[in-house]
Amino acid sequence: MIKQYKIPLVLFLLGMAGTILGALFKIMHWALAPELLIIGMTLQVIAIFILIAIILKK
């Protein structure tokens, strides 16, 4: 049962890491901050959609 949630969980955690890094870059006014934020949040949204699909399939 846990195995089916592995991919969305990994995607969500990677997205969270990207979002946190993007926020840090934004605060420090470093380059690539908007790109990191977009990538991180996109990964989180994809993970949530996959989780919703898995839950609705059951």
Side-chain angles (χ1 to χ4, degrees):
M1 182 165 173
I2 299 293
K3 191 171 187 169
Q4 64 188 356
Y5 298 117
K6 188 183 241 181
I7 292 174
L9 180 61
V10 169
L11 279 177
F12 191 78
L13 290 175
L14 285 174
M16 191 178 299
T19 303
I20 291 171
L21 273 175
L24 174 68
F25 275 44
K26 194 82 165 166
I27 291 169
M28 299 299 290
H29 301 287
W30 292 344
L32 299 177
E35 290 83 1
L36 277 172
L37 286 169
I38 290 171
I39 290 169
M41 290 182 194
T42 303
L43 285 175
Q44 288 177 340
V45 168
I46 291 170
I48 289 171
F49 283 149
I50 292 172
L51 276 173
I52 289 171
I54 290 171
I55 290 171
L56 289 178
K57 191 186 285 186
K58 284 188 168 188

